[in-house]
Amino acid sequence: MSAEEIRRAAAERIEEAEDVRDELCAALHGAGVVLPSLRVEPAAYADERPRPLVELGRCNLRTARLIAEALRRGGAGA
């Protein structure tokens, strides 16, 4: 794999991670949940061959309860 192909593949993986982060953020927002530290792991941007992770971050107890409630509502029919 050439250096250009490696860079292109890395950019695609980062873009995918950012898209997934945005999808999750929108879904959480629709359920009334905001995770202010939701992000793509910063180290992924520096890696030549990234395997990015979406960090959910930390939240207060109220937000944790909102997430649990949203999952219970959404998971009932799954």
Side-chain angles (χ1 to χ4, degrees):
M1 190 176 248
S2 73
E4 180 58 32
E5 290 171 324
I6 291 171
R7 279 193 294 277
R8 192 175 14 245
E12 289 172 0
R13 292 186 64 88
I14 293 296
E15 185 176 337
E16 180 182 10
E18 291 170 343
D19 289 345
V20 169
R21 177 212 48 215
D22 294 345
E23 290 174 27
L24 179 57
C25 184
L28 287 167
H29 189 280
V33 176
V34 175
L35 293 177
S37 48
L38 179 66
R39 65 184 182 168
V40 174
E41 177 187 33
Y45 293 96
D47 197 344
E48 184 177 303
R49 295 180 188 224
R51 286 184 264 178
L53 300 173
V54 175
E55 292 184 350
L56 302 180
R58 301 171 357 172
C59 65
N60 61 32
L61 297 178
R62 179 180 179 279
T63 301
R65 285 190 176 107
L66 287 171
I67 293 169
E69 182 181 323
L71 290 170
R72 281 192 295 271
R73 281 192 320 261

Short mmCIF file of all heavy atoms in Angstrom, two decimals:
data_model
loop_
_atom_site.label_atom_id
_atom_site.label_comp_id
_atom_site.label_asym_id
_atom_site.label_seq_id
_atom_site.Cartn_x
_atom_site.Cartn_y
_atom_site.Cartn_z
N MET A 1 0.85 -1.17 0.00
CA MET A 1 0.00 0.00 0.00
C MET A 1 0.90 1.24 0.00
O MET A 1 1.81 1.35 0.82
CB MET A 1 -0.90 -0.05 1.24
CG MET A 1 -1.99 0.98 1.25
SD MET A 1 -3.09 0.79 2.69
CE MET A 1 -4.58 0.27 1.89
N SER A 2 0.63 2.16 -0.90
CA SER A 2 1.45 3.37 -0.99
C SER A 2 1.13 4.32 0.15
O SER A 2 0.09 4.21 0.82
CB SER A 2 1.20 4.07 -2.32
OG SER A 2 -0.07 4.70 -2.32
N ALA A 3 2.02 5.29 0.35
CA ALA A 3 1.81 6.28 1.41
C ALA A 3 0.52 7.06 1.16
O ALA A 3 -0.22 7.37 2.11
CB ALA A 3 3.01 7.23 1.49
N GLU A 4 0.24 7.38 -0.09
CA GLU A 4 -0.99 8.11 -0.42
C GLU A 4 -2.22 7.27 -0.11
O GLU A 4 -3.22 7.78 0.42
CB GLU A 4 -0.99 8.52 -1.89
CG GLU A 4 -2.22 9.29 -2.33
CD GLU A 4 -2.46 10.57 -1.53
OE1 GLU A 4 -1.48 11.20 -1.10
OE2 GLU A 4 -3.64 10.93 -1.34
N GLU A 5 -2.19 5.99 -0.40
CA GLU A 5 -3.31 5.10 -0.09
C GLU A 5 -3.52 4.98 1.41
O GLU A 5 -4.66 4.95 1.89
CB GLU A 5 -3.08 3.72 -0.71
CG GLU A 5 -3.17 3.71 -2.22
CD GLU A 5 -2.71 2.38 -2.82
OE1 GLU A 5 -1.76 1.78 -2.27
OE2 GLU A 5 -3.31 1.97 -3.81
N ILE A 6 -2.43 4.94 2.15
CA ILE A 6 -2.51 4.88 3.61
C ILE A 6 -3.15 6.15 4.15
O ILE A 6 -4.05 6.10 5.00
CB ILE A 6 -1.12 4.65 4.24
CG1 ILE A 6 -0.63 3.24 3.91
CG2 ILE A 6 -1.15 4.88 5.75
CD1 ILE A 6 0.81 2.96 4.28
N ARG A 7 -2.73 7.31 3.65
CA ARG A 7 -3.31 8.59 4.08
C ARG A 7 -4.79 8.67 3.75
O ARG A 7 -5.60 9.12 4.55
CB ARG A 7 -2.56 9.76 3.45
CG ARG A 7 -1.27 10.11 4.17
CD ARG A 7 -0.72 11.45 3.70
NE ARG A 7 -0.30 11.45 2.31
CZ ARG A 7 0.87 11.02 1.86
NH1 ARG A 7 1.76 10.56 2.73
NH2 ARG A 7 1.17 11.05 0.59
N ARG A 8 -5.14 8.22 2.55
CA ARG A 8 -6.55 8.25 2.13
C ARG A 8 -7.41 7.34 3.01
O ARG A 8 -8.48 7.70 3.45
CB ARG A 8 -6.67 7.87 0.66
CG ARG A 8 -8.02 8.15 0.07
CD ARG A 8 -8.12 7.88 -1.42
NE ARG A 8 -7.03 7.11 -1.98
CZ ARG A 8 -6.15 7.59 -2.88
NH1 ARG A 8 -6.27 8.81 -3.33
NH2 ARG A 8 -5.20 6.83 -3.36
N ALA A 9 -6.91 6.14 3.28
CA ALA A 9 -7.64 5.20 4.13
C ALA A 9 -7.78 5.76 5.54
O ALA A 9 -8.85 5.63 6.15
CB ALA A 9 -6.92 3.85 4.16
N ALA A 10 -6.74 6.40 6.05
CA ALA A 10 -6.81 7.00 7.39
C ALA A 10 -7.85 8.10 7.42
O ALA A 10 -8.65 8.19 8.36
CB ALA A 10 -5.44 7.55 7.79
N ALA A 11 -7.87 8.94 6.40
CA ALA A 11 -8.84 10.03 6.34
C ALA A 11 -10.26 9.49 6.28
O ALA A 11 -11.18 10.04 6.91
CB ALA A 11 -8.56 10.93 5.14
N GLU A 12 -10.47 8.41 5.55
CA GLU A 12 -11.79 7.80 5.45
C GLU A 12 -12.25 7.25 6.80
O GLU A 12 -13.41 7.38 7.18
CB GLU A 12 -11.80 6.70 4.39
CG GLU A 12 -11.72 7.24 2.97
CD GLU A 12 -11.52 6.15 1.92
OE1 GLU A 12 -11.46 4.95 2.28
OE2 GLU A 12 -11.42 6.52 0.74
N ARG A 13 -11.32 6.63 7.54
CA ARG A 13 -11.67 6.07 8.85
C ARG A 13 -12.03 7.18 9.84
O ARG A 13 -12.97 7.07 10.61
CB ARG A 13 -10.54 5.20 9.40
CG ARG A 13 -10.37 3.92 8.58
CD ARG A 13 -9.36 3.00 9.21
NE ARG A 13 -9.78 2.53 10.52
CZ ARG A 13 -10.52 1.45 10.74
NH1 ARG A 13 -10.92 0.73 9.75
NH2 ARG A 13 -10.83 1.10 11.96
N ILE A 14 -11.28 8.28 9.79
CA ILE A 14 -11.56 9.42 10.66
C ILE A 14 -12.91 10.02 10.30
O ILE A 14 -13.74 10.32 11.17
CB ILE A 14 -10.45 10.48 10.57
CG1 ILE A 14 -9.14 9.94 11.15
CG2 ILE A 14 -10.87 11.77 11.26
CD1 ILE A 14 -9.18 9.63 12.63
N GLU A 15 -13.16 10.18 9.01
CA GLU A 15 -14.44 10.73 8.56
C GLU A 15 -15.60 9.84 9.00
O GLU A 15 -16.64 10.33 9.46
CB GLU A 15 -14.45 10.90 7.04
CG GLU A 15 -15.70 11.56 6.53
CD GLU A 15 -15.67 11.80 5.02
OE1 GLU A 15 -14.57 11.86 4.44
OE2 GLU A 15 -16.76 11.93 4.45
N GLU A 16 -15.42 8.53 8.89
CA GLU A 16 -16.46 7.60 9.34
C GLU A 16 -16.71 7.76 10.83
O GLU A 16 -17.86 7.78 11.29
CB GLU A 16 -16.07 6.16 9.02
CG GLU A 16 -17.09 5.15 9.47
CD GLU A 16 -16.68 3.71 9.20
OE1 GLU A 16 -15.52 3.45 8.84
OE2 GLU A 16 -17.54 2.84 9.40
N ALA A 17 -15.64 7.86 11.61
CA ALA A 17 -15.78 8.03 13.06
C ALA A 17 -16.51 9.33 13.39
O ALA A 17 -17.37 9.37 14.27
CB ALA A 17 -14.41 8.02 13.73
N GLU A 18 -16.20 10.40 12.66
CA GLU A 18 -16.89 11.68 12.89
C GLU A 18 -18.37 11.58 12.51
O GLU A 18 -19.22 12.14 13.21
CB GLU A 18 -16.20 12.79 12.12
CG GLU A 18 -14.82 13.12 12.69
CD GLU A 18 -14.00 14.04 11.82
OE1 GLU A 18 -14.32 14.21 10.61
OE2 GLU A 18 -13.03 14.61 12.34
N ASP A 19 -18.67 10.86 11.45
CA ASP A 19 -20.06 10.66 11.05
C ASP A 19 -20.83 9.87 12.11
O ASP A 19 -21.97 10.22 12.46
CB ASP A 19 -20.16 9.93 9.70
CG ASP A 19 -19.72 10.78 8.53
OD1 ASP A 19 -19.61 12.02 8.67
OD2 ASP A 19 -19.48 10.20 7.44
N VAL A 20 -20.21 8.82 12.62
CA VAL A 20 -20.86 8.01 13.66
C VAL A 20 -21.07 8.84 14.92
O VAL A 20 -22.14 8.78 15.54
CB VAL A 20 -20.03 6.74 13.96
CG1 VAL A 20 -20.54 6.03 15.21
CG2 VAL A 20 -20.05 5.80 12.77
N ARG A 21 -20.05 9.63 15.28
CA ARG A 21 -20.20 10.52 16.44
C ARG A 21 -21.39 11.46 16.25
O ARG A 21 -22.21 11.64 17.15
CB ARG A 21 -18.93 11.34 16.63
CG ARG A 21 -19.03 12.36 17.76
CD ARG A 21 -18.22 13.62 17.55
NE ARG A 21 -18.42 14.21 16.24
CZ ARG A 21 -17.45 14.84 15.57
NH1 ARG A 21 -16.24 14.93 16.05
NH2 ARG A 21 -17.71 15.37 14.38
N ASP A 22 -21.51 12.03 15.05
CA ASP A 22 -22.61 12.95 14.77
C ASP A 22 -23.97 12.25 14.81
O ASP A 22 -24.95 12.80 15.32
CB ASP A 22 -22.40 13.63 13.41
CG ASP A 22 -21.20 14.56 13.40
OD1 ASP A 22 -20.68 14.91 14.49
OD2 ASP A 22 -20.77 14.94 12.29
N GLU A 23 -24.03 11.02 14.29
CA GLU A 23 -25.27 10.23 14.34
C GLU A 23 -25.68 9.96 15.79
O GLU A 23 -26.85 10.10 16.16
CB GLU A 23 -25.10 8.90 13.62
CG GLU A 23 -24.98 9.00 12.12
CD GLU A 23 -24.67 7.65 11.49
OE1 GLU A 23 -25.03 6.60 12.07
OE2 GLU A 23 -24.05 7.65 10.41
N LEU A 24 -24.70 9.56 16.59
CA LEU A 24 -24.97 9.26 18.00
C LEU A 24 -25.41 10.53 18.72
O LEU A 24 -26.37 10.51 19.50
CB LEU A 24 -23.74 8.65 18.66
CG LEU A 24 -23.86 8.32 20.15
CD1 LEU A 24 -25.02 7.36 20.41
CD2 LEU A 24 -22.56 7.75 20.66
N CYS A 25 -24.74 11.64 18.46
CA CYS A 25 -25.09 12.90 19.09
C CYS A 25 -26.53 13.29 18.75
O CYS A 25 -27.30 13.69 19.63
CB CYS A 25 -24.11 13.98 18.64
SG CYS A 25 -24.37 15.57 19.45
N ALA A 26 -26.90 13.15 17.48
CA ALA A 26 -28.26 13.50 17.06
C ALA A 26 -29.29 12.58 17.71
O ALA A 26 -30.35 13.04 18.16
CB ALA A 26 -28.37 13.42 15.53
N ALA A 27 -28.99 11.29 17.77
CA ALA A 27 -29.93 10.34 18.39
C ALA A 27 -30.09 10.63 19.88
O ALA A 27 -31.20 10.61 20.40
CB ALA A 27 -29.44 8.91 18.17
N LEU A 28 -28.99 10.90 20.55
CA LEU A 28 -29.07 11.23 21.96
C LEU A 28 -29.85 12.53 22.17
O LEU A 28 -30.68 12.62 23.07
CB LEU A 28 -27.66 11.37 22.56
CG LEU A 28 -26.89 10.06 22.77
CD1 LEU A 28 -25.43 10.35 23.07
CD2 LEU A 28 -27.52 9.25 23.88
N HIS A 29 -29.58 13.51 21.33
CA HIS A 29 -30.28 14.79 21.45
C HIS A 29 -31.78 14.58 21.26
O HIS A 29 -32.60 15.17 21.98
CB HIS A 29 -29.75 15.78 20.41
CG HIS A 29 -30.26 17.16 20.60
ND1 HIS A 29 -31.50 17.57 20.19
CD2 HIS A 29 -29.70 18.23 21.19
CE1 HIS A 29 -31.68 18.83 20.50
NE2 HIS A 29 -30.60 19.27 21.11
N GLY A 30 -32.17 13.72 20.32
CA GLY A 30 -33.57 13.41 20.10
C GLY A 30 -34.23 12.76 21.30
O GLY A 30 -35.44 12.87 21.49
N ALA A 31 -33.42 12.10 22.13
CA ALA A 31 -33.93 11.47 23.35
C ALA A 31 -33.80 12.40 24.55
O ALA A 31 -34.05 11.98 25.68
CB ALA A 31 -33.18 10.16 23.61
N GLY A 32 -33.37 13.64 24.29
CA GLY A 32 -33.24 14.60 25.37
C GLY A 32 -31.95 14.48 26.17
O GLY A 32 -31.87 14.93 27.30
N VAL A 33 -30.93 13.86 25.57
CA VAL A 33 -29.66 13.64 26.26
C VAL A 33 -28.55 14.39 25.54
O VAL A 33 -28.43 14.28 24.32
CB VAL A 33 -29.31 12.13 26.30
CG1 VAL A 33 -27.96 11.90 26.94
CG2 VAL A 33 -30.40 11.34 27.02
N VAL A 34 -27.76 15.14 26.29
CA VAL A 34 -26.61 15.85 25.72
C VAL A 34 -25.36 15.39 26.45
O VAL A 34 -25.29 15.48 27.68
CB VAL A 34 -26.77 17.38 25.86
CG1 VAL A 34 -25.52 18.09 25.37
CG2 VAL A 34 -27.99 17.86 25.10
N LEU A 35 -24.40 14.86 25.70
CA LEU A 35 -23.11 14.49 26.27
C LEU A 35 -22.09 15.51 25.77
O LEU A 35 -21.62 15.44 24.64
CB LEU A 35 -22.69 13.08 25.83
CG LEU A 35 -23.54 11.93 26.35
CD1 LEU A 35 -23.05 10.60 25.78
CD2 LEU A 35 -23.52 11.90 27.87
N PRO A 36 -21.75 16.49 26.60
CA PRO A 36 -20.89 17.57 26.13
C PRO A 36 -19.48 17.14 25.73
O PRO A 36 -18.82 17.82 24.96
CB PRO A 36 -20.85 18.54 27.31
CG PRO A 36 -21.33 17.79 28.48
CD PRO A 36 -22.17 16.66 27.97
N SER A 37 -19.02 16.01 26.22
CA SER A 37 -17.67 15.58 25.87
C SER A 37 -17.67 14.42 24.86
O SER A 37 -16.66 13.73 24.71
CB SER A 37 -16.88 15.22 27.13
OG SER A 37 -17.60 14.38 27.98
N LEU A 38 -18.76 14.23 24.15
CA LEU A 38 -18.83 13.22 23.09
C LEU A 38 -17.89 13.64 21.97
O LEU A 38 -17.99 14.76 21.45
CB LEU A 38 -20.26 13.12 22.57
CG LEU A 38 -20.53 12.12 21.44
CD1 LEU A 38 -20.33 10.70 21.92
CD2 LEU A 38 -21.94 12.30 20.94
N ARG A 39 -16.94 12.77 21.61
CA ARG A 39 -15.95 13.14 20.59
C ARG A 39 -15.25 11.92 20.04
O ARG A 39 -15.34 10.83 20.60
CB ARG A 39 -14.92 14.09 21.18
CG ARG A 39 -14.06 13.43 22.26
CD ARG A 39 -13.11 14.38 22.89
NE ARG A 39 -12.29 13.70 23.88
CZ ARG A 39 -11.22 14.22 24.41
NH1 ARG A 39 -10.83 15.42 24.07
NH2 ARG A 39 -10.53 13.53 25.30
N VAL A 40 -14.55 12.13 18.95
CA VAL A 40 -13.65 11.11 18.42
C VAL A 40 -12.37 11.21 19.24
O VAL A 40 -11.87 12.31 19.53
CB VAL A 40 -13.35 11.33 16.92
CG1 VAL A 40 -12.31 10.34 16.43
CG2 VAL A 40 -14.63 11.21 16.11
N GLU A 41 -11.85 10.08 19.64
CA GLU A 41 -10.62 10.05 20.44
C GLU A 41 -9.53 10.87 19.75
O GLU A 41 -9.20 10.62 18.58
CB GLU A 41 -10.17 8.59 20.59
CG GLU A 41 -8.87 8.43 21.33
CD GLU A 41 -8.38 7.00 21.31
OE1 GLU A 41 -8.62 6.29 20.32
OE2 GLU A 41 -7.77 6.61 22.30
N PRO A 42 -8.96 11.87 20.42
CA PRO A 42 -7.97 12.73 19.79
C PRO A 42 -6.76 11.99 19.23
O PRO A 42 -6.22 12.38 18.19
CB PRO A 42 -7.55 13.68 20.92
CG PRO A 42 -8.71 13.69 21.85
CD PRO A 42 -9.30 12.31 21.77
N ALA A 43 -6.34 10.91 19.86
CA ALA A 43 -5.16 10.18 19.38
C ALA A 43 -5.38 9.62 17.97
O ALA A 43 -4.41 9.42 17.23
CB ALA A 43 -4.82 9.05 20.35
N ALA A 44 -6.62 9.40 17.58
CA ALA A 44 -6.90 8.85 16.26
C ALA A 44 -6.44 9.79 15.15
O ALA A 44 -6.06 9.35 14.07
CB ALA A 44 -8.40 8.58 16.10
N TYR A 45 -6.44 11.09 15.43
CA TYR A 45 -6.04 12.06 14.41
C TYR A 45 -4.53 12.05 14.16
O TYR A 45 -4.08 12.50 13.12
CB TYR A 45 -6.49 13.47 14.82
CG TYR A 45 -7.99 13.63 14.83
CD1 TYR A 45 -8.72 13.48 15.99
CD2 TYR A 45 -8.68 13.93 13.65
CE1 TYR A 45 -10.10 13.62 16.00
CE2 TYR A 45 -10.05 14.06 13.65
CZ TYR A 45 -10.76 13.91 14.82
OH TYR A 45 -12.12 14.05 14.82
N ALA A 46 -3.77 11.52 15.10
CA ALA A 46 -2.32 11.50 14.97
C ALA A 46 -1.79 10.17 14.45
O ALA A 46 -0.62 10.09 14.07
CB ALA A 46 -1.68 11.80 16.32
N ASP A 47 -2.62 9.16 14.42
CA ASP A 47 -2.17 7.82 14.02
C ASP A 47 -2.16 7.67 12.51
O ASP A 47 -3.09 8.09 11.82
CB ASP A 47 -3.11 6.78 14.65
CG ASP A 47 -2.53 5.39 14.65
OD1 ASP A 47 -1.54 5.14 13.92
OD2 ASP A 47 -3.07 4.54 15.39
N GLU A 48 -1.10 7.07 11.98
CA GLU A 48 -1.00 6.86 10.54
C GLU A 48 -2.05 5.87 10.05
O GLU A 48 -2.57 5.99 8.95
CB GLU A 48 0.40 6.33 10.20
CG GLU A 48 0.62 6.16 8.71
CD GLU A 48 2.04 5.72 8.40
OE1 GLU A 48 2.97 6.43 8.79
OE2 GLU A 48 2.18 4.66 7.75
N ARG A 49 -2.36 4.88 10.85
CA ARG A 49 -3.40 3.89 10.54
C ARG A 49 -4.40 3.85 11.70
O ARG A 49 -4.38 2.92 12.51
CB ARG A 49 -2.77 2.53 10.31
CG ARG A 49 -1.87 2.50 9.09
CD ARG A 49 -1.28 1.14 8.88
NE ARG A 49 -0.29 1.20 7.83
CZ ARG A 49 -0.17 0.31 6.87
NH1 ARG A 49 -0.96 -0.73 6.84
NH2 ARG A 49 0.74 0.45 5.95
N PRO A 50 -5.25 4.86 11.75
CA PRO A 50 -6.13 4.99 12.93
C PRO A 50 -7.17 3.89 13.04
O PRO A 50 -7.66 3.37 12.05
CB PRO A 50 -6.79 6.35 12.72
CG PRO A 50 -6.79 6.53 11.24
CD PRO A 50 -5.53 5.89 10.76
N ARG A 51 -7.45 3.56 14.27
CA ARG A 51 -8.60 2.74 14.63
C ARG A 51 -9.39 3.58 15.63
O ARG A 51 -9.33 3.34 16.83
CB ARG A 51 -8.15 1.42 15.24
CG ARG A 51 -7.59 0.47 14.19
CD ARG A 51 -7.24 -0.84 14.80
NE ARG A 51 -5.81 -0.78 15.11
CZ ARG A 51 -5.14 -1.73 15.69
NH1 ARG A 51 -5.76 -2.82 16.05
NH2 ARG A 51 -3.86 -1.62 15.92
N PRO A 52 -10.07 4.60 15.12
CA PRO A 52 -10.67 5.59 16.01
C PRO A 52 -11.77 5.02 16.89
O PRO A 52 -12.49 4.10 16.51
CB PRO A 52 -11.24 6.64 15.06
CG PRO A 52 -11.36 5.98 13.74
CD PRO A 52 -10.35 4.88 13.71
N LEU A 53 -11.85 5.59 18.06
CA LEU A 53 -12.89 5.27 19.02
C LEU A 53 -13.73 6.52 19.24
O LEU A 53 -13.22 7.63 19.19
CB LEU A 53 -12.28 4.85 20.36
CG LEU A 53 -11.36 3.63 20.33
CD1 LEU A 53 -10.71 3.43 21.70
CD2 LEU A 53 -12.15 2.39 19.94
N VAL A 54 -15.00 6.34 19.49
CA VAL A 54 -15.86 7.44 19.86
C VAL A 54 -15.93 7.44 21.39
O VAL A 54 -16.35 6.46 22.00
CB VAL A 54 -17.28 7.31 19.26
CG1 VAL A 54 -18.19 8.41 19.77
CG2 VAL A 54 -17.20 7.35 17.73
N GLU A 55 -15.46 8.53 21.97
CA GLU A 55 -15.48 8.67 23.42
C GLU A 55 -16.81 9.27 23.84
O GLU A 55 -17.20 10.32 23.35
CB GLU A 55 -14.34 9.58 23.89
CG GLU A 55 -12.97 8.98 23.69
CD GLU A 55 -11.87 9.86 24.25
OE1 GLU A 55 -12.14 11.02 24.62
OE2 GLU A 55 -10.73 9.39 24.29
N LEU A 56 -17.49 8.60 24.74
CA LEU A 56 -18.76 9.11 25.24
C LEU A 56 -18.52 10.15 26.32
O LEU A 56 -19.38 10.98 26.58
CB LEU A 56 -19.63 7.98 25.77
CG LEU A 56 -19.95 6.88 24.75
CD1 LEU A 56 -20.81 5.81 25.40
CD2 LEU A 56 -20.62 7.45 23.53
N GLY A 57 -17.37 10.11 26.93
CA GLY A 57 -17.02 11.11 27.92
C GLY A 57 -17.70 10.89 29.26
O GLY A 57 -18.26 9.84 29.53
N ARG A 58 -17.63 11.92 30.05
CA ARG A 58 -18.21 11.86 31.39
C ARG A 58 -19.52 12.63 31.41
O ARG A 58 -19.73 13.53 30.60
CB ARG A 58 -17.22 12.45 32.39
CG ARG A 58 -15.91 11.71 32.35
CD ARG A 58 -14.80 12.33 33.13
NE ARG A 58 -15.05 13.59 33.78
CZ ARG A 58 -14.20 14.15 34.61
NH1 ARG A 58 -13.07 13.56 34.89
NH2 ARG A 58 -14.47 15.31 35.15
N CYS A 59 -20.37 12.24 32.34
CA CYS A 59 -21.64 12.96 32.48
C CYS A 59 -22.06 12.95 33.94
O CYS A 59 -21.61 12.12 34.72
CB CYS A 59 -22.73 12.36 31.59
SG CYS A 59 -23.22 10.68 32.02
N ASN A 60 -22.95 13.86 34.26
CA ASN A 60 -23.45 13.93 35.63
C ASN A 60 -24.53 12.86 35.83
O ASN A 60 -24.93 12.16 34.89
CB ASN A 60 -23.95 15.33 35.97
CG ASN A 60 -25.09 15.78 35.08
OD1 ASN A 60 -25.90 14.98 34.62
ND2 ASN A 60 -25.16 17.07 34.82
N LEU A 61 -24.99 12.74 37.06
CA LEU A 61 -25.96 11.69 37.38
C LEU A 61 -27.27 11.88 36.64
O LEU A 61 -27.89 10.91 36.19
CB LEU A 61 -26.21 11.65 38.89
CG LEU A 61 -24.99 11.30 39.74
CD1 LEU A 61 -25.36 11.34 41.22
CD2 LEU A 61 -24.43 9.96 39.36
N ARG A 62 -27.72 13.12 36.49
CA ARG A 62 -28.96 13.38 35.78
C ARG A 62 -28.87 12.88 34.34
O ARG A 62 -29.78 12.21 33.84
CB ARG A 62 -29.28 14.88 35.80
CG ARG A 62 -30.55 15.23 35.06
CD ARG A 62 -30.82 16.75 35.10
NE ARG A 62 -32.03 17.08 34.40
CZ ARG A 62 -32.11 17.22 33.08
NH1 ARG A 62 -31.04 17.06 32.32
NH2 ARG A 62 -33.25 17.51 32.49
N THR A 63 -27.77 13.17 33.69
CA THR A 63 -27.59 12.72 32.30
C THR A 63 -27.52 11.21 32.22
O THR A 63 -28.10 10.60 31.32
CB THR A 63 -26.34 13.37 31.68
OG1 THR A 63 -26.48 14.80 31.74
CG2 THR A 63 -26.14 12.94 30.25
N ALA A 64 -26.84 10.58 33.17
CA ALA A 64 -26.77 9.11 33.19
C ALA A 64 -28.17 8.51 33.32
O ALA A 64 -28.50 7.53 32.65
CB ALA A 64 -25.86 8.64 34.32
N ARG A 65 -28.99 9.13 34.15
CA ARG A 65 -30.37 8.63 34.30
C ARG A 65 -31.17 8.84 33.01
O ARG A 65 -31.98 7.99 32.64
CB ARG A 65 -31.04 9.32 35.47
CG ARG A 65 -30.57 8.80 36.80
CD ARG A 65 -31.40 9.31 37.97
NE ARG A 65 -30.95 8.68 39.18
CZ ARG A 65 -30.26 9.30 40.14
NH1 ARG A 65 -29.96 10.58 40.02
NH2 ARG A 65 -29.89 8.65 41.21
N LEU A 66 -30.96 9.97 32.34
CA LEU A 66 -31.66 10.22 31.08
C LEU A 66 -31.26 9.18 30.03
O LEU A 66 -32.10 8.71 29.26
CB LEU A 66 -31.35 11.63 30.56
CG LEU A 66 -32.01 12.78 31.32
CD1 LEU A 66 -31.44 14.11 30.84
CD2 LEU A 66 -33.52 12.75 31.14
N ILE A 67 -29.99 8.83 30.00
CA ILE A 67 -29.53 7.80 29.06
C ILE A 67 -30.19 6.47 29.38
O ILE A 67 -30.70 5.78 28.49
CB ILE A 67 -27.99 7.66 29.10
CG1 ILE A 67 -27.33 8.93 28.55
CG2 ILE A 67 -27.53 6.44 28.30
CD1 ILE A 67 -25.85 8.99 28.80
N ALA A 68 -30.19 6.09 30.65
CA ALA A 68 -30.82 4.82 31.05
C ALA A 68 -32.30 4.82 30.67
O ALA A 68 -32.81 3.81 30.14
CB ALA A 68 -30.65 4.61 32.55
N GLU A 69 -32.99 5.93 30.92
CA GLU A 69 -34.41 6.02 30.58
C GLU A 69 -34.62 5.90 29.07
O GLU A 69 -35.51 5.18 28.61
CB GLU A 69 -34.97 7.34 31.09
CG GLU A 69 -36.44 7.52 30.85
CD GLU A 69 -36.93 8.87 31.35
OE1 GLU A 69 -36.45 9.33 32.39
OE2 GLU A 69 -37.79 9.46 30.66
N ALA A 70 -33.80 6.59 28.30
CA ALA A 70 -33.93 6.54 26.84
C ALA A 70 -33.67 5.13 26.32
O ALA A 70 -34.37 4.65 25.42
CB ALA A 70 -32.95 7.53 26.19
N LEU A 71 -32.71 4.44 26.89
CA LEU A 71 -32.43 3.07 26.46
C LEU A 71 -33.59 2.13 26.83
O LEU A 71 -33.94 1.26 26.04
CB LEU A 71 -31.13 2.57 27.08
CG LEU A 71 -29.86 3.22 26.53
CD1 LEU A 71 -28.66 2.84 27.37
CD2 LEU A 71 -29.67 2.85 25.07
N ARG A 72 -34.14 2.32 27.99
CA ARG A 72 -35.28 1.48 28.38
C ARG A 72 -36.46 1.71 27.43
O ARG A 72 -37.10 0.76 27.01
CB ARG A 72 -35.70 1.77 29.82
CG ARG A 72 -34.83 1.10 30.85
CD ARG A 72 -35.45 1.17 32.24
NE ARG A 72 -35.53 2.54 32.72
CZ ARG A 72 -34.57 3.16 33.42
NH1 ARG A 72 -33.44 2.53 33.69
NH2 ARG A 72 -34.74 4.40 33.84
N ARG A 73 -36.74 2.96 27.10
CA ARG A 73 -37.84 3.26 26.18
C ARG A 73 -37.57 2.69 24.78
O ARG A 73 -38.44 2.08 24.19
CB ARG A 73 -38.03 4.77 26.03
CG ARG A 73 -38.77 5.44 27.15
CD ARG A 73 -39.17 6.85 26.77
NE ARG A 73 -38.16 7.60 26.04
CZ ARG A 73 -37.33 8.48 26.57
NH1 ARG A 73 -37.37 8.75 27.85
NH2 ARG A 73 -36.45 9.10 25.81
N GLY A 74 -36.37 2.87 24.30
CA GLY A 74 -36.01 2.42 22.95
C GLY A 74 -35.81 0.93 22.85
O GLY A 74 -36.01 0.34 21.79
N GLY A 75 -35.41 0.29 23.91
CA GLY A 75 -35.10 -1.13 23.88
C GLY A 75 -36.30 -2.03 24.11
O GLY A 75 -36.19 -3.24 23.96
N ALA A 76 -37.44 -1.47 24.45
CA ALA A 76 -38.61 -2.28 24.77
C ALA A 76 -39.07 -3.13 23.61
O ALA A 76 -39.49 -4.26 23.78
CB ALA A 76 -39.74 -1.40 25.28
N GLY A 77 -38.99 -2.58 22.40
CA GLY A 77 -39.47 -3.32 21.24
C GLY A 77 -38.40 -4.01 20.45
O GLY A 77 -38.64 -4.65 19.44
N ALA A 78 -37.17 -3.92 20.90
CA ALA A 78 -36.05 -4.48 20.14
C ALA A 78 -35.95 -5.97 20.29
O ALA A 78 -36.42 -6.59 21.15
CB ALA A 78 -34.74 -3.84 20.59
#
